């Protein structure tokens, strides 16, 4: 098909001269119609384009060559080739204009990252039959971008950019969902930086914040891709080791973490060593409830602190006594 360019708005596509508007509408209304932020196209019975505005051409990147207008099906076919997922509008191909009683709404994403909101409205004649359909198309890329940014911010810590407490509990609830047919085992690690308050008190919070960021980065780089490192609060972090229920495998990960932190950090010209206490619990061995798993790992972490800090400890039921 020829790539489409509709150069002028017209209420009568069949007019002999497409370069001249054949309309009874005042010029002010035509101008507003052309400069609205919403693209509009009216498709009549039989799939003929009857009316459109310039914005629809800009949004869909349509062009018409030699004054030859595409049919509705040709427009759909052209647009589908520009989409990230062509199946998004496949269902529209099967709908005849006369069957558009049901309002159609869909959000589609182009292969260039633009997001479009499309909505149809049937044009019904005095006899109750559909004479055509008006499609309005809006470019909501910026809105969706802001929406994605807002979603990201709601689920990530603003300082370290790690998943936050909300993200963590959403993931744990999903992993421990009692209705799931197959339940994956995992290890939960509770990490606490030793004597972090002393760093803040001695060097200030800006140095402490940068120290936290650097520690989080090294720890994250010690993990596998499917593992999750989240900031619980302050200097406390949680790691979910996906599909790991072996003490030996957990110890190997922990040793990688300690190795990554073995060299002190240079923050604002200050050399600061890192010390980390870690507690470990297992799902579903110790518990099937997220908060209980965290509590158990927290108990094990404090046991590690009592053992001299900068070490790790596995949860054991004897810790409850």
């Amino acid at each position: 098909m020829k790539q489409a360019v509709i150069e002028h708005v017209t209420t009568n596509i069949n007019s002999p001269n497409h370069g001249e508007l054949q309309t009874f509408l005042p010029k002010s209304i035509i101008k507003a119609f052309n400069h609205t932020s919403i693209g509009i196209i009216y498709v009549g019975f039989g799939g003929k384009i009857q009316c459109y505005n310039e914005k629809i051409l800009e949004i869909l990147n349509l062009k018409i060559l030699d004054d030859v207008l595409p049919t509705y099906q040709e427009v759909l076919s052209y647009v589908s080739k520009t989409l990230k997922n062509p199946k998004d509008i496949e269902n529209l191909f099967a709908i005849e204009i006369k069957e558009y009683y049901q309002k159609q709404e869909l959000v589609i994403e182009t292969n260039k990252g633009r997001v479009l909101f499309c909505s149809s409205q049937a044009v019904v004649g005095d006899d109750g039959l559909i004479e055509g359909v008006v499609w309005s198309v809006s470019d909501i890329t910026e809105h969706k971008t802001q929406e994605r940014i807002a979603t990201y911010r709601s689920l990530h810590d603003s300082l370290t950019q790690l998943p936050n407490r909300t993200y963590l509990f959403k993931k744990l609830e999903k992993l421990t969902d009692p209705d799931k047919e197959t339940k994956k085992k995992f290890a939960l690690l509770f990490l606490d930086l030793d004597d972090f308050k002393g760093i803040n008190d001695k060097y200030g919070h800006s140095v402490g914040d940068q120290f936290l960021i650097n520690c989080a980065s090294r720890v994250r780089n010690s993990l596998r891709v499917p593992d999750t490192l989240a900031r619980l609060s302050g200097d406390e972090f949680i790691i979910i080791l996906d599909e790991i229920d072996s003490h030996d495998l957990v110890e190997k990960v922990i040793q990688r973490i300690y190795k990554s932190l073995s060299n002190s950090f240079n923050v604002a010209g200050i050399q600061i060593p890192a010390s980390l206490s870690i507690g470990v619990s297992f799902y579903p061995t110790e518990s099937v409830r997220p908060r209980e798993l965290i509590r158990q790992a927290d108990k094990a972490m404090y046991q590690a602190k009592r053992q001299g800090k900068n070490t790790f400890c596995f949860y054991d039921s004897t810790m409850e006594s």
Side-chain angles (χ1 to χ4, degrees):
M1 131 185 197
K2 293 181 178 179
Q3 189 184 14
V5 173
I6 305 175
E7 295 178 354
H8 298 276
V9 173
T10 175
T11 55
N12 181 4
I13 276 313
N14 298 314
S15 62
N17 188 344
H18 293 199
E20 297 178 6
L21 291 176
Q22 305 295 321
T23 177
F24 58 85
L25 294 175
K27 289 185 178 180
S28 58
I29 294 180
I30 296 169
K31 185 176 180 181
F33 186 58
N34 263 331
H35 291 86
T36 178
S37 61
I38 299 174
I40 300 170
I41 187 168
Y42 170 45
V43 185
F45 191 70
K48 292 183 179 180
I49 296 173
Q50 301 291 337
C51 180
Y52 51 86
N53 69 351
E54 292 177 0
K55 193 64 180 180
I56 195 74
L57 312 179
E58 178 187 330
I59 292 175
L60 298 183
N61 192 27
L62 289 172
K63 288 196 171 181
I64 289 182
L65 303 177
D66 303 325
D67 261 358
V68 178
L69 292 170
T71 65
Y72 177 57
Q73 291 295 329
E74 286 175 328
V75 170
L76 285 176
S77 179
Y78 166 74
V79 171
S80 71
K81 293 174 184 176
T82 71
L83 299 184
K84 189 173 182 179
N85 182 12
K87 290 181 181 286
D88 285 345
I89 62 170
E90 265 187 14
N91 61 319
L92 297 179
F93 283 87
I95 301 176
E96 292 185 33
I97 298 298
K98 63 182 180 180
E99 296 175 353
Y100 265 87
Y101 287 101
Q102 202 74 15
K103 185 175 183 179
Q104 303 288 321
E105 287 188 346
L106 69 158
V107 176
I108 57 179
E109 186 174 356
T110 73
N111 49 29
K112 292 187 178 180
R114 293 168 63 235
V115 183
L116 309 178
F117 174 72
C118 310
S119 177
S120 74
Q121 181 64 54
V123 177
V124 183
D126 294 336
D127 56 3
L129 298 178
I130 290 182
E131 296 179 348
V133 60
V134 174
W135 274 101
S136 61
V137 183
S138 305
D139 189 330
I140 59 170
T141 306
E142 184 62 26
H143 171 75
K144 296 302 290 184
T145 298
Q146 294 303 318
E147 188 178 279
R148 288 177 185 132
I149 290 173
T151 299
Y152 177 88
R153 286 177 176 169
S154 71
L155 296 173
H156 289 78
D157 173 53
S158 60
L159 179 66
T160 63
Q161 298 304 309
L162 291 175
N164 62 13
R165 187 186 189 93
T166 302
Y167 181 106
L168 172 67
F169 279 100
K170 282 180 179 290
K171 174 148 190 173
L172 285 173
E173 286 167 8
K174 186 176 180 180
L175 289 173
T176 60
D177 183 353
D179 295 327
K180 286 181 68 173
E181 291 184 9
T182 56
K183 296 178 175 59
K184 295 181 180 179
K185 300 176 181 179
F186 63 85
L188 186 143
L189 281 60
F190 195 117
L191 287 66
D192 184 272
L193 287 169
D194 299 321
D195 306 314
F196 179 67
K197 183 179 182 299
I199 295 174
N200 275 334
D201 292 344
K202 186 174 181 179
Y203 303 114
H205 287 278
S206 61
V207 170
D209 285 350
Q210 191 57 51
F211 177 72
L212 265 181
I213 293 169
N214 292 346
C215 283
S217 177
R218 286 197 196 177
V219 172
R220 183 65 193 91
N221 290 336
S222 303
L223 306 178
R224 305 167 305 165
V225 172
D227 299 330
T228 300
L229 171 64
R231 187 183 183 193
L232 187 62
S233 64
D235 59 344
E236 297 176 336
F237 299 85
I238 296 290
I239 293 175
I240 300 172
L241 296 180
D242 198 46
E243 295 191 65
I244 285 185
D245 65 344
S246 159
H247 283 221
D248 290 340
L249 290 176
V250 171
E251 283 192 36
K252 287 181 180 179
V253 174
I254 291 175
Q255 293 305 330
R256 286 204 305 270
I257 292 172
Y258 281 129
K259 185 177 180 181
S260 74
L261 299 175
S262 59
N263 294 325
S264 60
F265 294 89
N266 186 325
V267 182
I270 305 167
Q271 294 297 129
I272 307 175
S275 178
L276 190 67
S277 294
I278 303 174
V280 185
S281 61
F282 290 96
Y283 170 86
T285 311
E286 264 82 53
S287 179
V288 295
R289 300 193 302 275
R291 292 185 184 277
E292 182 66 10
L293 284 167
I294 291 174
R295 188 193 68 81
Q296 292 169 342
D298 185 30
K299 268 190 170 292
M301 183 273 294
Y302 274 105
Q303 180 64 26
K305 283 188 181 291
R306 286 191 287 271
Q307 292 176 1
K309 302 179 182 178
N310 204 36
T311 188
F312 63 95
C313 187
F314 291 97
Y315 172 77
D316 188 281
S317 57
T318 59
M319 293 176 184
E320 301 294 341
S321 60

